Amino acid sequence: MRALVVDDSKPVRSIVTSVLRSLQFDCCEAGNGQEALESLAKGERPDLVTINWHMPVMDGIELVRSLRAQPRYRGCKLLMISTEHAQERIAFAKEAGVDGYVAKPFTAATLTREVAALGLGRPAAAAAPPAATRVLVVDDSTTVRSLLSKVLSEAPGIEVVATAENGQAGVDAVRRQPPDLVILDVEMPVMDGISALREIRRLHPRLPVIMFSSLTEKGARATLDALMAGANDYVTKPTGGPAEVTERIRRDLVDRITTLAGKAAQPASSTARISPPPRPRQPATVKGVVIGVSTGGPTALADLLPHFAPQARVPVLIVQHMPAFFTAQLAQRLTRLVGCDVFEAQHDQLLEPGSVFLAPGGKHLEVVKDGAFGRVRLTEAATENSCRPAADVLFRTAAATWGSGTLGIVLTGMGRDGLAGARSIVDAGGSVLVQDEFTSVVWGMPGEVARAGLADAILPLAQLGAEVGLRLRRRTAGAS
């Protein structure tokens, strides 16, 4: 089967092509409707054409009508993939001649289902039920081990296969029979969690590890040490009555286990390795950089910021999903690693060239107009995407203040926080860069932005910092 993928966003074309190739399509790509017609005139008729609505030169609706007017293509399936969500707009596209419709952002599963509904794509063989994720729990508290084992074993698709009472026993258990994921306490006798983590990393570099730490200043320091040493994520130990503790474990741990174990078991898709150039646009003077990050954030920030933060002549503002104790410790840690001061943001601070601020846990970080670069506003408004701080809040207010001078960066993390904010930045004329799948601990937040066609570029972490530095040098030259 043949497919032509038509979209003016190279990242979206690459993602769609990757999904279609997994369904046994041979794919070609075009950047607008006119390119698509030229490509079709030179080759055989495809079985499927995926079409973005809003494109330069010739948009998707014009292309659909042109194809439907030609007898040669009347049997060809046309699938529109667009940011238009309103039912009347979808109906309009179908009246124009499309056979199916997928709204951005989309997942591989959504696109696969829609292609199958069109009667295309080689059906996959019936798969065996997925094996349960095998979890090792390491904690010196008998009560914690028992509670975690009970709650997690009740969750679909998770099996606690072993427990250990200290770090050394945990390492021995991994050595005997590696699990799919380890939950690791920080403070334990015989061998603490950080020492155990380093030994587990030596034995199995890609084995997912979640730290289970106390919500204290000491616990925050130790957890950050663990994250820098290679832990994939952390969960703070819940407090309260039995029912509340049980619910918190279900809420905070189960999704993380499923996501991290699933990523470790799957090879990276082709979209993980692409590094497309930014979409052509008139360069704007960068007035500020905003960063949103969650799972895997501390190490990603430590790798990213040294490339541009010490030399930045604009403010750099960061939202990392963490509790208050943790963000204060993270700011101190990044100051030592980055080569410039990183501060936890304070309400009403004036933003200045080169200032690097981290949103405090439990508070939204906003940018409000004042002076050359704006001023910090911290609020305890309602959570967004179940987060406070939320990247969407920071991105949205930065776009309102800096307009086309906003440069957004979305790094590794679960969920979709940053998607709506990235759209605000792009609508204001700014630019958004995202971390690629292969170097992300979880390609949730950046993947959502990429699939929505909002990313100028999808880059490995090592290239992302250099790209930001290049843009800042090029686009702040001569700026006051």
Side-chain angles (χ1 to χ4, degrees), residues 223-248:
T223 301
L224 284 171
D225 287 338
L227 292 171
M228 296 297 184
N232 298 82
D233 205 352
Y234 73 96
V235 171
T236 56
K237 291 184 177 180
T239 58
E244 182 182 359
V245 168
T246 298
E247 179 55 32
R248 282 279 307 279

Side-chain angles (χ1 to χ4, degrees), residues 150-276:
K150 178 180 183 299
V151 175
L152 295 179
S153 294
E154 291 172 351
I158 297 176
E159 178 186 3
V160 177
V161 294
T163 63
E165 69 276 9
N166 59 60
Q168 184 60 61
V171 170
D172 293 342
V174 170
R175 188 179 283 114
R176 286 192 304 270
Q177 183 64 52
D180 299 316
L181 182 140
V182 178
I183 297 175
L184 188 60
D185 188 16
V186 176
E187 299 177 50
M188 295 180 290
V190 185
M191 178 186 286
D192 64 34
I194 297 171
S195 300
L197 171 66
R198 292 190 175 110
E199 185 62 18
I200 289 170
R201 279 284 164 265
R202 187 184 68 80
L203 296 170
H204 297 281
R206 293 182 61 82
L207 177 62
V209 177
I210 299 175
M211 306 307 295
F212 199 49
S213 60
S214 57
L215 186 56
T216 63
E217 187 172 347
K218 183 178 180 182
R221 284 196 301 269
T223 301
L224 284 171
D225 287 338
L227 292 171
M228 296 297 184
N232 298 82
D233 205 352
Y234 73 96
V235 171
T236 56
K237 291 184 177 180
T239 58
E244 182 182 359
V245 168
T246 298
E247 179 55 32
R248 282 279 307 279
I249 290 172
R250 287 198 187 101
R251 187 190 71 195
D252 295 344
L253 265 177
V254 170
D255 282 351
R256 283 175 167 85
I257 291 170
T258 303
T259 300
L260 292 172
K263 176 176 172 64
Q266 296 172 1
S269 69
S270 61
T271 63
R273 294 181 289 274
I274 63 171
S275 300

Side-chain angles (χ1 to χ4, degrees), residues 27-112:
C27 297
C28 296
E29 298 181 11
N32 58 59
Q34 187 60 49
E35 283 185 19
L37 291 177
E38 293 170 359
S39 175
L40 290 168
K42 297 175 185 175
E44 297 184 38
R45 194 197 81 167
D47 302 282
L48 172 69
V49 182
T50 70
I51 303 171
N52 183 28
W53 189 322
H54 302 292
M55 298 181 290
V57 185
M58 177 187 287
D59 71 16
I61 295 296
E62 291 180 86
L63 175 59
V64 169
R65 289 172 174 158
S66 177
L67 294 177
R68 287 298 181 232
Q70 301 180 52
R72 183 186 180 204
Y73 300 114
R74 285 177 185 166
C76 180
K77 298 294 185 182
L78 306 183
L79 176 61
M80 181 154 281
I81 304 176
S82 171
T83 55
E84 296 282 357
H85 288 250
Q87 287 302 312
E88 60 269 22
R89 300 291 280 169
I90 295 173
F92 178 78
K94 290 185 176 179
E95 288 173 6
V98 303
D99 300 288
Y101 195 97
V102 173
K104 297 177 181 176
F106 60 91
T107 65
T110 301
L111 180 55
T112 298

